Amino acid sequence: MTTAARVLVWAAAAAVLGVLVALAVPVASGAYVVAQLVSFRTLLFLGATVVAVVLLAVAWTRRRLLPVALAFLVGAAAQGAVLVARSVPQPAAATGSAEPVVVLAFNTLDTVGPTLLADLALAHGADVLVLPETSLDTARATAAQLAAAGRPMQVLTAEGHHPAIAGTALLVSDRVGTYPTSEPLATRLGSLRADPREPAESPVIVAAHPLAPISRGSMATWRTETRLIAGTCADTPGAIVAGDLNATLDHPGLRDLGPCVDAARASGAAALGTWPASVPALLAAPIDHVLVDGRTWRVVGFDVLPRTAGSDHRPIVATLERR
């Protein structure tokens, strides 16, 4: 076999290997380390591209590196293709004439004051505020300021089971429905389900904050809790689920949403991340979400907002219309 033929064989094998690795990443995304890496697709794309370019430059003199360079190039192309696909809005049918419902979700790290939160809600016309890591005092003070501005809100909360992390607060405008009580969901950081008393067509709202995959020992709990949140959306007609889900669409818990849709994906904004807020949104991990029953709701807008105060998450806002 000639040298040129050997290079072609190695190049073909490397291309196949690159495709297999690209496909295996999401399949193994529930595993420790892989779960963390796949959260940052843009960084994977940029890293693989840089390595491929460097190896291709060197391969002019060291042809044995060409297959490795090609494998990295295929991997970069796969990551880039996913990012492009998630930047394309999904088509949706026309809706009725009902007023939209605006959902704002923001993990405040319990560092954002009520005045700023109220101003943020008023600026975006929010009807639903989901605030992980936000104390009851802050939630009540925010609601008081919104009421003074002519936008009264009901306040519901779920306590977490971590002494250093505040629970999750849910504020709901009276115009969305009446929510007298809520039911806690089994997540360590505090999640709740609010069922409306009236009117009958008001949505069930879930304010969620499952555990993050921060260590090898937390992986099983993370997988269970994210599946619980996504499953609650899939099993609840007309549901709206929002919060810091500590998972991307590549992770096991959010990969199959059933009848539910991710608002960012539907709007073509799923390549933009929310954590950490200290880096550009395109480089961050998209772990904050608004999920809705796609049979009931059409997503007409989604935005990742700028970094706000001292939180390490960016706020997100989704605009929904009833079908």
Side-chain angles (χ1 to χ4, degrees):
M1 183 180 291
T2 66
T3 301
R6 290 194 194 96
V7 170
L8 287 174
V9 170
W10 276 104
V16 172
L17 177 62
V19 171
L20 292 176
V21 170
L23 293 174
V25 166
V27 173
S29 62
Y32 187 58
V33 178
V34 178
Q36 289 73 23
L37 289 175
V38 78
S39 299
F40 300 93
R41 272 198 181 270
T42 302
L43 290 179
L44 290 176
F45 165 72
L46 293 175
T49 300
V50 169
V51 172
V53 169
V54 171
L55 289 175
L56 284 171
V58 175
W60 287 110
T61 56
R62 300 181 182 180
R63 292 187 177 182
R64 291 181 180 179
L65 294 178
L66 184 60
V68 182
L70 185 57
F72 274 97
L73 193 61
V74 171
Q79 303 299 332
V82 173
L83 293 170
V84 170
R86 291 181 180 171
S87 300
V88 178
Q90 295 177 327
T95 63
S97 58
E99 288 188 37
V101 173
V102 179
V103 180
L104 191 151
F106 185 19
N107 181 329
T108 70
L109 200 64
D110 211 20
T111 63
V112 184
T115 299
L116 188 51
L117 286 174
D119 289 345
L120 193 65
L122 291 170
H124 294 278
D127 302 294
V128 177
L129 274 73
V130 175
L131 305 173
E133 297 196 43
T134 302
S135 68
L136 176 59
D137 288 343
T138 298
R140 285 175 171 168
T142 301
Q145 294 203 24
L146 287 170
R151 200 171 186 86
M153 294 271 188
Q154 302 150 80
V155 179
L156 303 160
T157 60
E159 292 299 319
H161 302 282
H162 193 294
I165 299 177
T168 298
L170 170 64
L171 279 65
V172 187
S173 169
D174 292 344
R175 85 172 189 85
V176 176
T178 301
Y179 296 82
T181 59
S182 63
E183 171 191 352
L185 297 179
T187 65
R188 284 191 58 193
L189 301 182
S191 300
L192 63 92
R193 170 186 171 132
D195 286 80
R197 185 174 64 192
E198 57 182 5
E201 66 271 15
S202 295
V204 172
I205 302 175
V206 175
H209 192 195
L211 190 69
I214 55 176
S215 66
R216 189 181 299 276
S218 67
M219 298 302 293
T221 301
W222 166 69
R223 289 190 291 266
T224 299
E225 292 187 359
T226 52
R227 279 196 297 265
L228 168 66
I229 299 304
T232 301
C233 184
D235 296 339
T236 308
I240 296 174
V241 176
D244 172 9
L245 303 192
N246 277 316
T248 74
L249 296 178
D250 295 305
H251 289 131
L254 301 186
R255 202 152 49 219
D256 182 8
L257 296 175
C260 288
V261 299
D262 177 76
R265 177 66 189 90
S267 296
L272 299 176
T274 57
W275 180 89
S278 56
V279 303
L282 193 57
L283 300 181
I287 60 174
D288 296 88
H289 299 267
V290 175
L291 310 177
V292 298
D293 182 352
R295 299 165 299 186
T296 301
W297 301 101
R298 174 176 176 255
V299 180
V300 296
F302 182 90
D303 291 296
V304 176
L305 304 181
R307 184 177 186 178
T308 302
S311 176
D312 56 348
H313 287 249
R314 285 184 170 83
I316 57 173
V317 60
T319 303
L320 315 173
E321 287 183 353
R322 191 174 288 274
R323 291 189 182 276

